[in-house]
């Protein structure tokens, strides 16, 4: 029997006032219903925001180390349930077991990290111009945070928004993506068990046009943090800024890896394949473009095709690469593969749905590599969000940089090179919020800032590390002249 989840509002698990629900299914076996959720209305979202607003002053006045103790206990509870959360994440979102386990661990680590940061939330002391004056700063919470999160990292992304918000004294309402919300609800189970006060953390499930929009639009919401598609993110940004709310958006990517003529080709192919096909390509930091020097181009294509063909596809609990999360996502990827072939790109491997008993009616697609791609092709310019890699040939490093930067996005980028001068220049000139040398584009440390440029971000605030604390706090300057 499928699990039934409710909203968590003002410390209580509640049903939607609509009386309606929706289901999620296992993308590896779509007849397998995973869970049932509340189909929340705007009124449900409003009630959650009002609960958060009512709880805000008391939570802000709670000593920061006491707030940290609740975060630490939440992390401990999640740690004790890691295996079951991993299984649940794989079953609902489709991610391979090792990837799902790593994501759950990331959420655990984030809560432990921000639990410790609560001990260091003081401001700074400066020298005053006059005598008998103490000049210093203090930080306070922004207020009520509205959080909208995607399905592709259904526990890690909620964690890296929730933990710094709570650590700094904000209250919040989360609206997780309707495609895979189970592990986010389990995170709130852990918060509840850890003793989070009523109203401080709230979650409503449902759809963006109703519940999500109501959270963003509510007058009592002071800050909005959104991760998702560029189209929806722009709407969220416009609405939030029109209402003078603090807002942060993290959106799509078309992330390149430059392969230099000095690179070890086998290593480069391994790095690119890991970035392109890990998490079934369903990551905003996934590598979708390999920009390769002509001297190593043919050898690289052979090596990366071999990497793609070595990946074992199947249900995430047993295989290297799981399915796409939904039929819509699968169809979107297959549409882009068709577009690429019609544009004149050469399909080197993949390009279809695998056949065999283990695939059933699941949303599986083969790791796909295209060559013969021009940089103005749609397959080289638009985010696919599936395991599709385009390989572009360039004749020199200047051309590689130009091609890498010639997209509307700027989230993550990497270079594989044995030339330190090239690496330094790449870091300086690449138009991306994350630059990596001899590493894949995907994968992030939790204690450093994360965000993009151009259409990958609102370019307002970063997430994670101290940057996460900056977004959720307002700095006040104090002149004390006793």
């Amino acid at each position: 029997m499928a699990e039934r989840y409710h909203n968590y509002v003002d410390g209580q698990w509640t049903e939607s006032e609509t009386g309606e629900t929706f289901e999620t299914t296992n993308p590896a076996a779509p007849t397998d219903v995973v869970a049932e959720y509340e189909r929340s209305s705007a009124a449900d979202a409003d009630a959650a925001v009002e609960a958060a607003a009512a709880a805000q002053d008391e939570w802000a006045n709670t000593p920061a180390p006491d707030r940290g103790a609740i975060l630490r206990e939440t992390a401990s509870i999640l740690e004790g349930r890691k295996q079951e959360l991993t299984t649940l994440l794989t079953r609902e979102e489709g991610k391979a077991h090792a990837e799902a386990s790593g994501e759950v661990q990331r959420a655990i680590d984030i809560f432990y990290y921000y639990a410790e940061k609560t001990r260091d939330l003081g401001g700074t002391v400066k020298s005053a111009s006059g005598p008998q004056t103490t000049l210093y700063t203090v930080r306070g919470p922004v207020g009520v945070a509205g959080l909208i999160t995607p399905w592709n990292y259904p526990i890690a992304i909620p964690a890296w928004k929730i933990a710094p918000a709570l650590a700094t004294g904000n209250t919040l309402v989360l609206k997780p993506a309707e495609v895979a919300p189970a592990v986010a609800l389990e995170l709130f189970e852990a918060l509840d068990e850890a003793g989070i006060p009523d109203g401080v953390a709230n979650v409503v499930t449902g759809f963006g046009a109703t519940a999500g929009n109501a959270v963003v639009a509510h007058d009592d919401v002071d800050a909005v943090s959104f991760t998702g598609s560029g189209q929806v993110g722009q709407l969220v940004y416009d609405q939030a800024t029109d209402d003078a709310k603090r807002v942060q958006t993290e959106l799509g990517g078309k992330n390149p890896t430059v392969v230099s003529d000095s690179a070890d080709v086998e290593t480069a192919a391994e790095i690119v394949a890991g970035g392109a096909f890990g998490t079934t390509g369903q990551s905003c930091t996934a590598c979708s473009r390999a920009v390769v020097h002509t001297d190593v181009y043919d050898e690289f294509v052979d090596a990366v095709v071999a990497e793609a063909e070595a990946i074992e596809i199947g249900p995430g609990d047993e295989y290297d690469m799981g399915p796409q999360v939904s039929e819509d996502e699968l169809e979107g990827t297959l549409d882009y593969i068709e577009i690429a072939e019609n544009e004149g790109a050469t399909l080197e491997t993949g390009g279809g749905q695998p056949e065999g008993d283990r695939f059933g009616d699941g949303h599986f697609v083969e790791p796909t590599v295209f060559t013969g791609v021009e940089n103005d092709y749609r397959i080289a310019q638009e985010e696919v969000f599936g395991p599709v890699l385009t390989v572009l040939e360039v004749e020199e490093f200047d051309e590689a940089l130009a091609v890498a930067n010639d997209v509307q996005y700027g989230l993550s980028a990497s270079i594989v090179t044995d030339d330190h001068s090239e690496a330094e220049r790449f870091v300086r000139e690449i138009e991306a919020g994350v630059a990596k040398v001899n590493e894949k584009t995907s994968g992030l440390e939790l204690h450093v800032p994360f965000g993009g440029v151009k259409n990958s971000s609102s370019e307002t605030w970063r997430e994670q590390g101290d940057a996460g604390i900056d977004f959720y706090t307002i700095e006040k300057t104090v002149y004390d002249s006793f």
Side-chain angles (χ1 to χ4, degrees), residues 335-348:
D335 285 346
Y336 268 109
I337 290 170
E338 183 178 1
I339 288 167
E341 291 183 295
N342 291 337
E343 288 178 313
T346 300
L347 179 64
E348 297 287 348

Side-chain angles (χ1 to χ4, degrees), residues 273-296:
F277 307 128
T279 66
T280 319
Q282 298 176 134
S283 170
C284 56
T285 56
C287 175
S288 60
R289 297 181 296 146
V291 183
V292 184
H293 194 283
T294 188
D295 287 354
V296 295

